[in-house]
């Protein structure tokens, strides 16, 4: 099983944002810092999930376990529902991708267990300016 750690960060709310993705479990580790432009922190969290799902599909990972420190993202995926309209569109995109996998899990973890993805997301914020 592939483990995928995700985090979204925003310098301001809204502000320059980034997604951090750390993937392990196949004998190697992959790290991604993806600049996202201007958005809120919650939007960045959802975009981190979507970007990570796209990477998993591209790499051919079909059994994945995601870890996030965003309770909003974890709850939305588990319930398949987002209260706010601005997140519903992002949730729908994530669900379409996740439903194409053989097995998809998502679990909330404390921020202290998500340090690598957090560092990668902060690095991605800096990449917005380059």
């Amino acid at each position: 099983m592939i483990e995928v750690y995700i985090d979204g960060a925003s310098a301001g709310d809204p502000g320059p944002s980034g997604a951090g993705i750390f993937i392990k479990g196949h004998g190697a580790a992959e790290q991604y810092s993806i600049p996202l432009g201007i958005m809120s922190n919650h939007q960045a969290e959802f975009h981190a999930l979507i970007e990570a799902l796209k990477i998993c599909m591209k790499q051919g990972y079909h059994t994945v376990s995601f870890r996030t420190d965003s309770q909003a993202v974890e709850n939305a995926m588990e319930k398949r529902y987002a209260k706010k309209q601005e997140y519903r569109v992002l949730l729908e995109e994530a669900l379409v991708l996740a439903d194409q996998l053989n097995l998809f899990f998502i679990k909330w973890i404390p921020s202290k267990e998500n340090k690598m993805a957090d560092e990668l997301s902060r690095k991605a914020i800096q990449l917005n300016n380059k």
Side-chain angles (χ1 to χ4, degrees):
M1 176 159 317
I2 302 297
E3 291 182 15
V4 182
Y5 293 79
I6 59 170
D7 198 16
S10 185
D13 205 13
S17 301
I21 302 162
F22 178 66
I23 301 174
K24 66 179 188 174
H26 51 81
E30 298 172 52
Q31 299 179 19
Y32 300 89
S33 291
I34 303 168
L36 299 172
I38 305 296
M39 62 182 62
S40 73
N41 188 65
H42 280 312
Q43 288 171 315
E45 297 279 7
F46 276 99
H47 279 279
L49 170 64
I50 291 165
E51 293 298 326
L53 285 164
K54 288 177 181 177
I55 289 167
C56 287
M57 296 190 70
K58 182 179 174 190
Q59 300 286 54
Y61 305 146
H62 299 289
T63 303
V64 296
S65 179
F66 274 60
R67 309 283 197 278
T68 179
D69 59 17
S70 169
Q71 290 181 321
V73 167
E74 190 264 346
N75 285 334
M77 287 299 286
E78 287 292 326
K79 295 176 182 173
R80 301 179 72 88
Y81 175 78
K83 193 174 192 178
K84 292 187 177 180
Q85 179 61 39
E86 65 182 306
Y87 306 136
R88 270 189 226 142
V89 175
L90 297 171
L91 173 62
E92 282 302 315
E93 185 176 353
L95 289 170
V96 166
L97 293 166
D99 288 346
Q100 294 177 51
L101 299 169
N102 293 343
L103 206 49
F104 171 84
F105 296 104
I106 189 163
K107 177 183 174 185
W108 177 85
I109 59 172
S111 296
K112 67 182 180 189
E113 294 177 26
N114 205 26
K115 286 193 185 305
M116 180 58 76
D118 177 64
E119 287 175 22
L120 293 167
S121 68
R122 293 180 189 285
K123 180 180 173 186
I125 290 172
Q126 304 307 315
L127 295 173
N128 277 298
N129 301 325
K130 295 186 178 181

